[in-house]
Amino acid sequence: MGVARLGAVGTSSRKCFVEDDVTVSLFRRSLAEGVGTAMLMIAVVGSGLHVGSSELSSAMAISGSLIGLMLAFGAVSGGHFNPTITLMQWLSGQRTLDCAVWYIASQIAGALSGALVSAFVFGVPPGRPGFDSPTVSSLASEGVASFGLMTVVFCCSRSTNKLVGPFAVGLWLLAAILSTPTGSIANPAVAISLFATPASASVVAVSLFVVVQIIGGSLAALTASTIYPDGG
């Protein structure tokens, strides 16, 4: 059985990345996505700016925050905090267009807000954007990272529930941050919000990162539907 078109039909679900009650106002669900993405970005940026932080401690902070946020907000919004998840649900007919637009706009706004809050808290102004082209290896890194993260996400959404999925996703993200050259950004909203961080971001690199992240997510969705053809 497919998942009812979220935002159009009132239903209840205990699956990962699906809200429990789609009759809840779209504003409330989108607000949960925006606040959750902002908090995630605070962990992403703050863990990197904190004195004495290491790659391992930063990875633990980011993955731990994601687990907590998914558990906290998942019942209301599905706990996406990533436009690729929302986009793939819309393309598969699981979510209405208006809901997808609200979610993605909230995720991007939340990520930008979170980055600015972190910069303010640490007293470091956002850097100026550049126009350097990314390396082929960095693009490949984001493609692989996005495919891996989204494969775990979509397989969990078809095979387990809200109490298990967040830990599976968080554990994979922890490993991916430590094992990919780009640190597994794997999130278009996070990539776009790099413009609001103290580190200077390249317009060209961010644009291409978003493209390969969505491509990786699309391949992951196809992989998950092939492995779990009768899933949600």
Side-chain angles (χ1 to χ4, degrees), residues 54-88:
S54 65
E55 186 177 16
L56 177 59
S57 65
S58 181
M60 293 176 65
I62 296 168
S63 59
S65 69
L66 181 58
I67 293 172
L69 292 167
M70 288 173 61
L71 292 171
F73 293 107
V76 175
S77 69
H80 296 188
F81 319 128
N82 190 323
T84 302
I85 300 174
T86 305
L87 180 62
M88 292 302 114

Side-chain angles (χ1 to χ4, degrees), residues 8-215:
V9 180
T11 187
S12 174
S13 174
R14 298 301 302 171
K15 289 187 174 183
C16 304
F17 304 104
V18 177
E19 48 268 50
D20 288 352
D21 183 3
V22 298
T23 64
V24 171
S25 72
L26 188 52
F27 171 76
R28 281 177 55 194
R29 287 183 280 151
S30 299
L31 180 62
E33 283 296 301
V35 172
T37 310
M39 293 173 69
L40 174 61
M41 197 62 196
I42 288 174
V44 170
V45 178
S47 63
L49 293 176
H50 197 279
V51 176
S53 66
S54 65
E55 186 177 16
L56 177 59
S57 65
S58 181
M60 293 176 65
I62 296 168
S63 59
S65 69
L66 181 58
I67 293 172
L69 292 167
M70 288 173 61
L71 292 171
F73 293 107
V76 175
S77 69
H80 296 188
F81 319 128
N82 190 323
T84 302
I85 300 174
T86 305
L87 180 62
M88 292 302 114
Q89 284 191 350
W90 171 65
L91 290 175
S92 65
Q94 296 177 337
R95 192 169 295 276
T96 59
L97 178 58
D98 61 333
C99 183
V101 170
W102 272 73
Y103 268 35
I104 292 172
S106 297
Q107 290 157 357
I108 294 174
L112 288 168
S113 299
L116 290 172
V117 167
S118 285
F120 176 77
V121 168
F122 282 91
V124 184
R128 294 183 178 181
F131 295 92
D132 297 334
S133 297
T135 63
V136 174
S137 62
S138 66
L139 292 176
S141 173
E142 275 308 292
V144 170
S146 298
F147 173 80
L149 179 61
M150 291 300 109
T151 296
V152 175
V153 165
F154 297 134
C155 284
C156 283
S157 70
R158 291 169 174 265
S159 64
T160 188
N161 59 51
K162 282 184 170 67
L163 297 180
V164 177
F167 295 97
V169 173
L171 288 171
W172 164 261
L173 182 60
L174 173 63
I177 291 173
L178 297 173
S179 58
T180 57
T182 54
S184 186
I185 299 172
N187 184 329
V190 172
I192 292 171
S193 68
L194 292 177
F195 291 121
T197 64
S200 59
S202 165
V203 174
V204 177
V206 167
S207 300
L208 292 177
F209 278 177
V210 170
V211 171
V212 298
Q213 287 163 358
I214 293 174
I215 292 174

